[in-house]
Amino acid sequence: MTGAAGGERSRLVRALALSRRFHLYLARCASPRAADGLVAALSDELPRLGRTGARFVRLEPYSARTEDTPLTDGELADRVLVPLLDPPEELRGAIHLVDASRATYADTEAWARFFSLWNEKRNVLGPSRGEVVVMLPAALAPVFAAAAPDVWSIRSGEYVIEEGASATRGGLEAHAQGSISFVGVARGTSPSLPATVPGGVRGRVDDALLLLRAASPLSLFGGDIVVRPWIDDILAARWAADPMNSDASQQPGLWGAAPSALAQRDLRRADELLAVRSFDDAEELLAHLLERAADDQTELTAVALSELAVAVAAQDRADAAAVHASRALSLAGVVPGGGGAWAAVSPYVTAWVLRANALVRWCLGHLEVAEQLDRTLAAGIEAPAEAVGQYYRPLVARSRLLRLAERGQIAAAREQVRALLDSGQRTGSPGNEPVAEEAIARIIIADLDFLSGDLDASARELDRARVEGTAWPEEHASLPRRCEVATALVEIARGNEERATKLLGRPRDPQVLSRWREPEPEGGFRAEAFHAMTSGLLAMVTGDLARASVWFESARGFIDAWGRLGLDRRSRLRARLVVELLRTALWPDGDQTEAAARDLAGQAEALLGDTAEDHVSRVLAVAAHRELARRLASAGAGDARSAAQRAAALAQPLGGLGAPAWDELLCAAARPS
């Protein structure tokens, strides 16, 4: 134990070593791993401090559960309250550990009722009893104080228990005896990997956890939230019917008869093709339209070029898309950041041109330009204030917050994030269905908490989103599943693999996903790719490397399917790179692995782009070059030092931005391989 974390823990251990009668201690545990570390410390250190023969009863109601459902009053009564207040005679002097460290938001009311019942029976505990240590997350402390004021008032000490420097995962093995658990042997430290795993994989498990803590869930699997305000008209086309024969545009002579009507019909048809992700067909139709457009049809040409840019960017040809988007911007006569003087074309056309340009620039990694385009759009938009306030602005606000984090502006994002909840009103979708705005806002808040290193707060917000987001509309059909998987990822990072296993445990049928037809059809594949990657990480952490490899291979397949449908190219490429890095970490040394590591470093550099603004992609580039440096050093290659130096140089801008995992990555990159 070192630093503040060890100091608080040692104070509590010393207090228990000196105590010989009933005392109540409160331990605010940063995570389940911190609680396990505290229990392990008690087992190891109390005998050395002179308290030999101490017995422990760990009252933890979660370990015997098979599903991740809210705790019931009956479970808490059977597993905690009764064993605490009415233990068998031989355990009356034992140290009882009431462990609520794995409590979720959905369990809050049950724990409140438990504390209230304990308050009513407070006189049962007395001088003949041993000590009680209540281990709970910070969010439950005020619940305990409010529901059990008399019990709260008799606490003898209060301690903040962080994770130790070694990320101890220990605890005491509990052996069931009726409804009571009594402690015998130590569980030990973090799960050990089999002795037969490839060389260096043990250390790479820690690297994998660091990589996933440095790249937040939404930066990998939430790009639809980023791009939604730029493509919302395309998504709305999902509900629009085409009133005309789709083959009419191929009939000769009609362009000369009614060019405006036919052009509008072709644009609508292009919208529909984009909405159903027929990008190549949309590209062909739009190119055909542009060939026939007259020189004086400025608005038609600007809109067609903008839609063509979206279709081409979705096919991973972002550089070509930028050419089309820039031509449209020039026709509209708008300078990014130049204010709201729109005169060359109508406001609707200018808005569409700006939004398409913002999407393409984000795909290219030109994040500041995308922000300038958004500001220009906000300055010049002409629409009823109510419509803008209730529908469009919430989309922009969510997108902008995630883009602030992408650009490394963590503090600015955290300052603005609560406004998502303050706005509070639910908005309407094109189908007039209610949108679970508060639940979506909580997912974004949880993502920023995760990146800021507050895993307990992140888990709490995700749990609240899962509980409160009961009215998810069709266009957000995949978000509840992604929220569940994000919760599992946070629990892995907190050291709570047991709950992560329950959250990830439901089987999936890939054939069902091939028929997924929601308004954002890539959502199902996005959710399942996230599930497979997180399941692979869990298998890796628990030492099942063969199963981890299978999961990562599955994630690749889902990402490929997502790529055929997706409009958020940047997050998809990030997700793919993370999965490839995790897969490569499992491979033994050899020429094939070295070649794969070189390729990943090249992909990471390409994704980082010419401006290097995207800090999440920077994180992946650092990880890729560190992996390459390790492989080269293992092979005795002369350019290993160069790869390590490149990793260190890329990591430099990540320091001091409010993301602890970025600081850790910077320190790791600075150390010799």
Side-chain angles (χ1 to χ4, degrees):
M1 294 181 292
T2 60
E8 288 285 282
R9 193 186 305 168
S10 295
R11 285 179 54 227
L12 176 53
V13 172
R14 287 196 298 272
L16 285 165
L18 295 172
S19 175
R20 291 296 186 273
R21 61 181 180 83
F22 171 73
H23 286 100
L24 177 68
Y25 301 99
L26 179 67
R28 299 175 186 250
C29 296
S31 69
R33 182 182 292 144
D36 289 344
L38 171 60
V39 179
L42 292 174
S43 175
D44 293 341
E45 296 178 31
L46 282 181
R48 290 200 294 267
L49 293 174
R51 186 164 180 179
T52 58
R55 295 167 299 159
F56 302 89
V57 180
R58 188 173 185 177
L59 304 175
E60 197 276 303
Y62 292 95
S63 59
R65 310 183 85 238
T66 58
E67 294 186 6
D68 186 59
T69 54
L71 277 177
T72 65
D73 293 345
E75 287 176 305
L76 278 172
D78 292 342
R79 299 175 188 175
V80 183
L81 188 65
V82 172
L84 175 66
L85 300 183
D86 189 23
E89 188 66 33
E90 65 272 16
L91 291 177
R92 288 194 168 232
I95 299 172
H96 283 69
L97 309 168
V98 177
D99 187 357
S101 64
R102 287 168 171 78
T104 69
Y105 171 75
D107 301 330
T108 301
E109 292 185 5
W111 278 106
R113 288 189 291 270
F114 161 80
F115 292 135
S116 180
L117 284 172
W118 185 4
N119 201 63
E120 294 176 9
K121 307 290 186 180
R122 59 191 178 278
N123 292 329
V124 173
L125 294 177
S128 64
R129 300 297 183 86
E131 300 84 350
V132 175
V133 180
V134 181
M135 303 184 295
L136 76 179
L140 270 187
V143 176
F144 186 11
D150 296 324
V151 175
W152 177 268
S153 67
I154 63 171
R155 66 195 188 285
S156 299
E158 192 169 331
Y159 307 85
V160 176
I161 308 299
E162 304 288 349
E163 293 183 17
S166 61
T168 300
R169 207 183 292 265
L172 302 177
E173 187 70 38
H175 302 282
Q177 178 176 323
S179 63
I180 299 177
S181 295
F182 65 94
V183 176
V185 298
R187 265 194 267 177
T189 56
S190 58
S192 59
L193 295 171
T196 57
V197 302
V201 170
R202 291 175 180 81
R204 290 177 202 166
V205 170
D206 291 335
D207 282 346
L209 286 168
L210 176 57
L211 173 61
L212 268 299
R213 286 194 292 112
S216 65
L218 291 184
S219 70
L220 304 180
F221 298 96
D224 51 333
I225 298 176
V226 172
V227 304
R228 183 65 186 250
W230 300 329
I231 59 170
D232 196 62
D233 287 351
I234 292 174
L235 298 177
R238 188 74 182 177
W239 287 269
D242 184 357
M244 304 181 69
N245 185 336
S246 61
D247 294 328
S249 64
Q250 307 304 318
Q251 299 177 21
L254 286 181
W255 265 88
S260 179
L262 288 172
Q264 292 299 321
R265 195 286 316 277
D266 279 352
L267 284 175
R268 175 175 290 188
R269 177 61 180 157
D271 282 346
E272 293 170 353
L273 289 170
L274 290 173
V276 297
R277 308 308 199 260
S278 295
F279 300 125
D280 52 350
D281 291 337
E283 181 183 358
E284 182 180 356
L285 175 61
L286 290 163
H288 183 75
L289 188 159
L290 286 165
E291 287 174 2
R292 287 158 176 75
D295 291 340
D296 61 349
Q297 291 181 300
T298 303
E299 293 199 347
L300 166 67
T301 304
V303 173
L305 283 168
S306 298
E307 297 201 356
L308 181 60
V310 173
V312 172
Q315 297 175 76
D316 286 346
R317 288 152 42 214
D319 289 327
V323 174
H324 301 310
S326 296
R327 283 185 59 199
L329 197 63
S330 178
L331 286 171
V334 178
V335 178
W342 300 356
V345 294
S346 69
Y348 173 79
V349 171
T350 305
W352 184 207
V353 168
L354 286 167
R355 288 160 65 185
N357 268 271
L359 171 67
V360 172
R361 292 299 167 184
W362 179 77
C363 287
L364 286 168
H366 301 163
L367 307 185
E368 175 59 31
V369 176
E371 176 63 22
Q372 290 176 356
L373 290 161
D374 262 359
R375 287 198 296 266
T376 303
L377 178 60
I381 196 167
E382 293 183 14
E386 183 178 358
V388 173
Q390 289 193 359
Y391 186 63
Y392 187 66
R393 281 201 186 114
L395 300 180
V396 173
R398 296 198 293 257
S399 175
R400 184 163 290 155
L401 282 170
L402 294 176
R403 283 183 281 129
L404 282 172
E406 287 179 342
R407 295 166 63 195
Q409 298 179 22
I410 310 298
R414 288 187 65 82
E415 286 176 4
Q416 299 178 33
V417 73
R418 289 290 164 180
L420 290 177
L421 292 177
D422 295 340
S423 60
Q425 294 188 358
R426 295 173 181 263
T427 64
S429 69
N432 294 318
E433 297 176 2
V435 177
E437 290 296 322
E438 185 169 321
I440 296 173
R442 291 200 181 281
I443 292 174
I444 294 172
I445 293 170
D447 202 64
L448 288 173
D449 285 336
F450 182 89
L451 202 54
S452 301
D454 194 342
L455 300 180
D456 191 50
S458 182
R460 185 165 62 251
E461 294 292 351
L462 287 168
D463 283 330
R464 293 189 68 175
R466 292 169 61 225
V467 170
E468 296 169 359
T470 57
W472 297 97
E474 189 181 7
E475 68 265 31
H476 293 293
S478 68
L479 271 181
R481 178 58 176 157
R482 279 185 276 167
C483 180
E484 186 175 52
V485 178
T487 307
L489 178 61
V490 174
E491 294 296 358
I492 294 170
R494 297 171 77 209
N496 192 358
E497 290 92 353
E498 184 179 2
R499 188 181 182 217
T501 300
K502 294 171 185 174
L503 287 161
L504 295 171
R506 291 189 291 166
R508 287 293 180 271
D509 180 3
Q511 295 303 313
V512 172
L513 293 171
S514 67
R515 301 190 295 271
W516 194 296
R517 289 295 182 268
E518 57 175 298
E520 292 184 289
E522 82 276 15
F525 292 114
R526 190 194 316 262
E528 295 313 310
F530 189 15
H531 174 268
M533 185 205 73
T534 307
S535 298
L537 177 67
L538 179 60
M540 193 175 179
V541 167
T542 55
D544 191 345
L545 303 186
R547 186 165 180 79
S549 181
V550 172
W551 275 118
F552 294 146
E553 190 65 34
S554 177
R556 294 177 79 200
F558 285 126
I559 292 172
D560 288 344
W562 163 16
R564 291 189 288 272
L565 300 169
L567 284 156
D568 64 326
R569 173 180 182 269
R570 179 151 290 268
S571 68
R572 172 171 52 82
L573 293 179
R574 291 179 190 140
R576 177 65 183 242
L577 186 54
V578 166
V579 170
E580 294 299 334
L581 283 167
L582 294 173
R583 286 180 70 245
T584 303
L586 299 177
W587 295 356
D589 291 329
D591 293 343
Q592 181 181 1
T593 308
E594 182 182 326
R598 288 188 186 277
D599 182 58
L600 288 177
Q603 291 181 39
E605 293 274 6
L607 181 58
L608 193 56
D610 53 357
T611 62
E613 295 177 70
D614 181 351
H615 280 59
V616 177
S617 295
R618 181 180 292 277
V619 162
L620 306 189
V622 173
H625 281 281
R626 290 187 68 220
E627 178 67 20
L628 175 60
R630 276 195 297 266
R631 297 295 184 173
L632 293 173
S634 177
D639 51 349
R641 181 177 178 82
S642 176
Q645 289 174 338
R646 179 58 179 159
L650 285 168
Q652 281 301 315
L654 296 173
L657 296 176
W662 294 2
D663 294 326
E664 289 180 47
L665 193 61
L666 172 60
C667 293
R671 292 193 295 266
S673 297

